[in-house]
Structures are given as structure tokens and as C-alpha cells.
Amino acid sequence: MDHFVYRGGILHAEDVALTDIAATVGTPFYCYSAATLTRHYHLFTEALSPLPNLVCFAIKSLSNVAVLKLLGDLGAGMDVVSGGEYRRAKAAGVPGNRIVFSGVGKTREEMRLALEGGIRQFNVESEPELRALSEVATSMGVVAPITIRVNPDVDAKTHEKIATGKKENKFGIPIGRAPAVYAEAARLPGLDVVGIDVHIGSQLTDLEPFEQAFLKVADLTRQLRSEGHNIRRLDLGGGLGIPYTRSNDAPPLPMDYGALIKRTVGDLGCEVEIEPGRLISGNSGILVSQVIYVKNGEGRDFLIVDSAMNDLVRPSMYGAHHDIVPVIEGPVGSPTQPFDVVGPVCETGDTFAKERDLPLLTEGDLIAFRSAGAYGAVMASEYNTRPLIPEVLVKGDHFAVIRARPSFDEIISRDTIPAWL
Ligand SMILES: *Cc1c(COP(=O)(O)O)cnc(C)c1O
């Protein structure tokens, strides 16, 4: 459920008409709903209750500091995968003891940053990383709390680019080698082994792979405890999928995911962390765009819009589907026709949808791409020297630009021409 609904024929974000935002901010822009973000966060805290838990929002899905502040103020933790994201979490006022640091390539500099600023735990992904962290922590005279990310070798049954839990993926250590790596971690100075971490992929639409992974983690917990490790925290990752269309099978609900967690690891007496990104942010955001031209081709009609693959790359990168709706709704029973919806970028890959049935839209009409809150703005680039588009946050009848559109001067002045040229 989200808070983007038609009122009086105009699509609103909560109590604000998107036509009003478009008139003020210009198009294209991302628009997020605070009520939807809040609701989705609470679905998880409710689903995990009464287990001791921390819901760590995966910043990489939507990293605007205003959004992080909103979630952080609700009590959310944050899952960061870079020093930059760590800085964003801190800029949003999230305390270090609610930040977990994931990622396969943490640098020593990033480790130092997090140890100085405070960190709940590092999710370590390899033995070389373990040794590096031990060295860094020791040199600083501190102890780094860690989990080790295990790769449970389960098939997440999702898009190959976002599956992370098969043994051929680059993530974590093979679960069979975990006892040896935990033994090494226990021997190394400057490390405090607090738990186990797992994350098997993104946009999972079936609970079964989670069940397999969590059962393996439960077994590993018992084994590691019997070998003397004080496993007291389980980080179960993110990855729960969202509905991208109104029609397809609905993915599992957070409540069912929570019940699965309780069933598989709930009796271990561990604190449970999860790292949802997409389920919190995905349907909390839309991308609003304007039709530039309607171009009649041979056998197909193109809707050329002012957003492009550089603004929302998911369709061209993952073949992803986004529902597209008009901001101003026609009367019931208005005719539709198939359009290819494309952006202005000079690549055929710059296609949002093929032969999509849409109302008879014309130049100047506004459309919205739904479910664009996750992996939308954060993956945007300035390809074709198209400025990063603004982000707008709505709460009730308030709206504010939370990232402004840069000017062309700002963009071009980042380049420098060497004196010797
Ligand atoms: C990407 C990622 C997440 C979030 O995944 P979603 O599918 O957005 O929930 C969580 N944890 C880790 C380690 C990740 O890489």
C-alpha cells in the first residue's frame, strides 16, 4: 500500500497534487511519501516483535539524508556499504551504534572512519578483510565488533544481477568454511565476534530461499556456540521483494517474513537484525515526467518523455517493469493505445516500456512511474549531461525539495582544463 492516489482526477502524493509540485519544481522529479516510508518501516518492526531486533534500512536503495533522518528518527538503524553512506547516516543524525557496515571491499580508510565515528558492527566478507580490520582496530587501540557474512549457497530465484547467495557469487565466505574463519577471527586481536550475517539477494518474491538460508544460519549458530563463540546477534540481510505491478502475484508480506524468522531462528535467544531497502523505499517513491513528443513510427507510437535511463536505469539495466500512469486521470472508460515509452538519451536501451497500453497522451501531459523509490535516484547519472533530477519529500500537505536540480554551470564547472592544454 502506498499514499499515491487520485483525488478529483489528479494523482496526489498524500495531500499534495503532483501537478502542483511539477509547477513549482519542474519535471522530471522523484517524489517520496513520508507516510509510506513510515508505514513500511513499521511493518517490519511489527513483524519482528517481540524478538529483540533492529531494522537497518539499506541506504543504498534510497540515500537522501532527509529520508534517512525520517527513518532514523523512528528508531531505524542503517545498513551502509561505503564510507560515503556511513557519512550520510551520520549526517542524518543516526548514532554509530545503529549503523552496520556491509560490503565486499571496505578499505582501511573506511574502517577507520567507522571505528572513529562509532559502529554497531562490521559485516566482514572475507579473510583478508578480517585481517585488515584487525590491524586497523589494533592500531587505533579499539575493538571492532564483527559478524562474518556467510554465503549459504541457496538460489534466491531472482534476477541474476541481484542474486548474492550462490557459491559462485562474490559475497561472503562459503558457509562450510565458516568454522575455520570464525576460529581465525577469535584468535585475531582487535575483533569482537558478535554474530553471523547473511544476505542472499534482492527482490525475492518467495520465502523459500530465505527459509533455507535462515535454517543454515540457525545450524551454524549452534555449531559455533559449541565451539566457544558467543554468537548473540543474527543479521539476516534484506531482499524482500515488492509488487511492481498491480496485477501480478503479490510477494510475501513482511508479517509472513517475520513469522518465518521467528520459526527458524527465534528460539536461539539472539538479537535479530534485518536490512530491508527496497521494501521500505520502493513503493514510497515515484518518478514524475512530462511527455515531450508523441512520435508516430511504423507500426508503433513512441511517447518521448523528459526522463531517461540516466534518471531511472532499472528498465534498461534489469529489464525491470514500472507501472506508468497519467497524473491527470481521464474519465472512466477513456480509450487507450499501446505506446513505447522512451527517453531522449541516444541509446535504444533508453526504453522504459514497450507497447504499454496507456491513455491517449499528448505533448505536455504528466506521467508517473510507480515503484521508483528504490534504486532510482541513487543509481542516476549525468549521462548525456542531463542534470541529476530533484528529489521531493511529501508529508501530509507539506512538500519540500530535498535535493535540488543542479545548474549546468555547477555540472560543467566540476571539469577542469589543465593549464598545459
Ligand atoms: C542491497 C542489500 C540490502 C538491501 O536489499 P533490498 O533488496 O533492497 O532489501 C541489504 N543488505 C545488503 C548487504 C545488501 O547488499
Side-chain angles (χ1 to χ4, degrees):
M1 206 202 92
D2 59 49
H3 290 78
F4 298 100
V5 288
Y6 290 99
R7 290 198 201 160
I10 299 174
L11 189 61
H12 281 59
E14 304 190 21
D15 299 332
V16 182
L18 289 163
T19 45
D20 288 346
I21 301 178
T24 314
V25 177
T27 58
F29 62 90
Y30 279 101
C31 178
Y32 310 121
S33 152
T36 314
L37 289 160
T38 303
R39 182 186 131 81
H40 289 166
Y41 167 71
H42 281 140
L43 288 178
F44 281 113
T45 56
E46 283 157 22
L48 292 180
S49 163
L51 290 181
N53 70 81
L54 185 67
V55 176
C56 296
F57 177 59
I59 291 190
K60 76 172 194 273
S61 73
L62 172 54
S63 63
N64 190 290
V65 173
V67 170
L68 305 185
K69 164 109 173 87
L70 183 155
L71 293 169
D73 286 355
L74 296 173
M78 300 286 153
D79 171 42
V80 307
V81 294
S82 69
E85 288 191 353
Y86 180 87
R87 286 181 163 87
R88 283 184 178 273
K90 289 313 265 312
V94 179
N97 65 9
R98 277 198 263 138
I99 303 175
V100 302
F101 204 141
S102 302
V104 292
K106 300 175 201 81
T107 63
R108 285 171 165 77
E109 210 180 340
E110 289 173 320
M111 293 170 177
R112 231 169 273 124
L113 173 77
L115 286 169
E116 267 162 18
I119 189 80
R120 181 179 184 82
Q121 88 217 16
F122 292 91
N123 294 331
V124 175
E125 299 225 13
S126 67
E127 288 148 290
E129 183 191 336
L130 204 58
R131 290 169 207 142
L133 183 58
S134 167
E135 278 169 32
V136 172
T138 311
S139 75
M140 294 171 67
V142 299
V143 173
I146 64 155
T147 71
I148 293 174
R149 177 167 175 182
V150 295
N151 184 325
D153 192 25
V154 301
D155 183 355
K157 297 184 206 141
T158 184
H159 191 284
E160 58 170 287
K161 287 187 187 167
I162 51 176
T164 58
K166 287 284 283 173
K167 61 176 184 294
E168 60 267 32
N169 301 136
K170 67 179 175 182
F171 298 98
I173 56 149
I175 195 159
R177 298 210 26 250
V181 180
Y182 272 86
E184 176 170 12
R187 276 194 303 273
L188 287 169
L191 302 179
D192 177 20
V193 180
V194 301
I196 305 174
D197 172 48
V198 70
H199 169 74
I200 58 173
S202 197
Q203 186 54 17
L204 272 72
T205 51
D206 188 351
L207 286 181
E208 204 248 345
F210 285 120
E211 175 154 24
Q212 283 180 34
F214 299 167
L215 286 171
K216 289 188 182 192
V217 167
D219 285 345
L220 182 62
T221 304
R222 292 186 199 98
Q223 183 183 349
L224 292 176
R225 281 177 171 172
S226 76
E227 290 164 8
H229 301 284
N230 180 10
I231 302 299
R232 51 201 186 269
R233 197 181 280 172
L234 300 179
D235 182 336
L236 300 175
L240 195 58
I242 62 168
Y244 275 98
T245 66
R246 293 288 155 121
S247 47
N248 71 354
D249 305 321
L253 300 172
M255 200 46 83
D256 298 328
Y257 170 79
L260 172 70
I261 289 174
K262 289 176 206 166
R263 197 164 70 240
T264 49
V265 303
D267 63 348
L268 294 167
C270 284
E271 184 179 18
V272 170
E273 295 163 353
I274 55 170
E275 304 167 345
R278 190 189 309 266
L279 200 134
I280 292 178
S281 53
N283 280 318
S284 301
I286 60 172
L287 167 59
V288 176
S289 187
Q290 190 170 34
V291 177
I292 307 176
Y293 297 116
V294 180
K295 176 170 162 177
N296 303 114
E298 261 179 46
R300 47 179 79 203
D301 293 329
F302 295 95
L303 221 47
I304 302 173
V305 300
D306 64 359
S307 56
M309 63 186 285
N310 69 296
D311 305 311
L312 176 65
V313 78
R314 298 189 67 260
S316 60
M317 185 147 150
Y318 309 119
H321 171 101
H322 286 269
D323 277 354
I324 301 172
V325 295
V327 168
I328 296 180
E329 196 180 33
V332 183
S334 299
T336 61
Q337 75 151 91
F339 284 108
D340 281 14
V341 183
V342 301
V345 164
C346 306
E347 285 200 28
T348 302
D350 187 22
T351 298
F352 289 115
K354 286 193 170 149
E355 302 198 302
R356 184 74 65 85
D357 265 323
L358 291 170
L360 309 182
L361 293 158
T362 66
E363 283 182 24
D365 285 348
L366 297 174
I367 59 168
F369 295 87
R370 286 187 165 277
S371 314
Y375 307 106
V378 287
M379 293 181 90
S381 76
E382 289 177 344
Y383 188 37
N384 281 213
T385 308
R386 296 170 45 84
L388 291 181
I389 67 179
E391 294 175 280
V392 173
L393 182 65
V394 172
K395 183 177 181 197
D397 58 4
H398 296 285
F399 79 88
V401 174
I402 57 173
R403 188 183 70 195
R405 197 187 309 275
S407 70
F408 286 104
D409 282 347
E410 286 171 74
I411 294 172
I412 293 168
S413 66
R414 290 202 301 257
D415 298 359
T416 49
I417 299 175
W420 42 259
L421 198 65

